[in-house]
Amino acid sequence: MRVLSGIQPTGNLHLGNYLGAIRNWVKMQDEMDADSACFFFLADLHSITVHEERATRMRNVREMAAALIACGIDADRSVLFNQARVPAHAELAWLLNGTARIGWLNRMTQFKDKAGKNREGASIGLFVYPVLQAADILLYQATHVPVGEDQKQHLELTRDIATKFNTDFGVELFTLPDPYIPKESARIMSLRDGTAKMSKSDPSDMSRINLTDDDDGIAQKVRKAKTDPEPLPETAAALEGRAEALNLVGIYATLTEQTPDAVCASFAGKGFGAFKPALAEVLVETLRPIRQRFIALKEDEAALDAILDKGAEKARAVAAPTLDGAYEALGLMR
Ligand code: AMP
Ligand code: TRP
């Protein structure tokens, strides 16, 4: 079993990133036995598909590393690194470009969504993004890849590329990975609109809880969160059609590791005047230690760079045999 996942180093981390992605990684790390490390990386090579100033990109990579560590990723137990420090990712992606088919990539819904109407004006990088992702995964012989639903298609493509390469060159080089979508994986919605995802790009800061928000800021955002005048029902099913209420119950349930039904049962008949302070309290208590570590780490660039250097060194060693095998299979002499 080898667990591997990547995350794009976007700035302004929020509760959605924590509960939807990072916390799942921490859980997997903590469940692994001592001698099998998880691989977690910052997809900075993928991030060049969105234009960014150099200083912003550097800050985002360090910030995301700080956030992962603050949330519980332990760089001694897991291999934590950024792609750019491990050239094997870019190299294998190029080699896989000989195997991946244009027709396969044409079917990727994430490309269609991100390119929008202006397909001709989209970068080649955005189009071949999933090939780099396949390289990320195949380099380390990953078996379990914790991701959100939206990444399932990229995992399928990774399997297709791996199978075709192995078959075309008569090798058993690549392991076929499976997506791992945690059961309790959370989709956190905006505090202002229960039908929109909580997002760093929402113009209203009141719509999200940032990892840098202080106790009062968190409490205020919960107090002002959109709700309805009805009391909480006995079961979560009865929250149908009450998107904002469902979202707040969902956040509470995720944070306290209960089912939404259990949360409804304990607050049934009470209104949001009673529920919101309880939610604010668990949020504040959960996020306070994370925020304190995050802010301290973020400032310590030298320490973060040293952690990423060390992670990259470990990653390079594990990636090397697979990359060598790919050159070898293709008859490329180095
Ligand atoms: P992004 O910054 O949107 O690329 O997200 C980085 C990671 O956080 C991805 O794994 C997303 O699936 C996850 N994520 C972002 N927003 C949310 C949200 N509102 N709810 C759950 N997961 C989220
Ligand atoms: N594409 C993923 C996302 O947007 C990030 C990613 C890049 C990734 N490489 C990966 C995830 C490899 C899992 C494995 O969330």
Side-chain angles (χ1 to χ4, degrees):
M1 174 168 176
R2 163 138 313 146
V3 174
L4 170 139
S5 196
I7 191 165
Q8 284 210 51
T10 50
N12 302 335
L13 294 165
H14 53 75
L15 185 69
N17 300 128
Y18 175 57
L19 294 179
I22 305 174
R23 200 178 67 152
N24 296 332
W25 293 9
V26 174
K27 283 192 182 164
M28 292 192 87
Q29 163 192 272
D30 293 346
E31 282 163 14
M32 294 292 276
D33 34 323
D35 46 271
S36 44
C38 297
F39 287 67
F40 298 122
F41 65 90
L42 310 163
D44 53 358
L45 293 177
H46 280 109
S47 82
I48 66 167
T49 56
V50 176
H51 176 76
E52 204 80 85
E53 297 294 330
R54 115 178 242 286
T56 309
R57 195 180 317 281
M58 291 167 76
R59 190 180 63 236
N60 284 348
V61 168
R62 291 192 180 111
E63 241 186 68
M64 186 60 96
L68 294 179
I69 297 166
C71 292
I73 298 296
D74 174 352
D76 289 324
R77 268 190 293 156
S78 293
V79 182
L80 175 64
F81 62 102
N82 62 304
Q83 272 170 326
R85 277 187 167 90
V86 185
H89 290 249
E91 286 186 65
L92 184 63
W94 176 255
L95 300 184
L96 296 179
N97 277 338
T99 299
R101 307 287 93 186
I102 289 181
W104 299 354
L105 291 175
N106 270 336
R107 285 195 284 276
M108 295 296 115
T109 56
Q110 184 172 300
F111 174 74
K112 291 183 210 167
D113 291 345
K114 292 204 174 170
K117 288 205 176 68
N118 186 15
R119 258 183 90 124
E120 298 288 306
S123 71
I124 300 278
L126 192 62
F127 188 64
V128 298
Y129 179 114
V131 181
L132 177 59
Q133 183 164 349
D136 298 338
I137 297 167
L138 298 176
L139 265 180
Y140 301 93
Q141 312 291 342
T143 55
H144 295 65
V145 183
V147 283
E149 282 285 335
D150 62 331
Q151 295 298 313
K152 262 168 115 171
Q153 202 185 26
H154 289 166
L155 264 291
E156 280 302 316
L157 180 84
T158 302
R159 295 172 64 94
D160 290 343
I161 293 175
T163 305
K164 181 165 166 57
F165 188 102
N166 285 346
T167 313
D168 286 357
F169 299 100
V171 289
E172 279 177 40
L173 180 61
F174 297 127
T175 304
L176 301 193
D178 279 305
Y180 175 77
I181 302 180
K183 279 192 298 297
E184 66 282 12
S185 163
R187 190 155 181 263
I188 308 299
M189 311 309 279
S190 157
L191 299 181
R192 310 298 307 165
D193 173 0
T195 63
K197 245 174 96 165
M198 184 177 287
S199 156
K200 63 166 186 298
S201 50
D202 191 315
S204 166
D205 193 57
M206 294 304 282
S207 72
R208 71 185 150 259
I209 291 177
N210 303 300
L211 288 194
T212 47
D213 287 345
D214 62 18
D215 292 357
D216 290 344
I218 296 170
Q220 195 198 18
K221 285 178 178 179
V222 173
R223 219 177 311 124
K224 298 220 166 141
K226 190 175 164 197
T227 44
D228 56 45
E230 301 296 314
L232 284 164
E234 301 278 342
T235 64
L239 285 170
E240 169 131 26
R242 297 171 66 189
E244 287 80 16
L246 182 63
N247 185 40
L248 296 188
V249 167
I251 294 173
Y252 189 95
T254 309
L255 287 168
T256 55
E257 316 235 4
Q258 305 178 57
T259 62
D261 274 334
V263 177
C264 285
S266 51
F267 286 92
K270 297 200 175 121
F272 283 93
F275 181 71
K276 279 179 165 183
L279 174 61
E281 189 182 329
V282 273
L283 269 170
V284 162
E285 294 304 323
T286 307
L287 294 180
R288 187 186 301 124
I290 293 177
R291 172 178 69 250
Q292 287 168 346
R293 284 193 295 266
F294 178 51
I295 290 173
L297 270 165
K298 212 159 60 123
E299 304 310 321
D300 197 347
E301 291 188 359
L304 288 170
D305 290 351
I307 289 170
L308 293 175
D309 266 335
K310 215 174 108 197
E313 200 183 307
K314 292 190 227 164
R316 283 194 293 266
V318 177
T322 311
L323 183 65
D324 289 347
Y327 275 104
E328 174 73 26
L330 288 158
L332 294 167
M333 292 172 284
R334 287 193 290 172

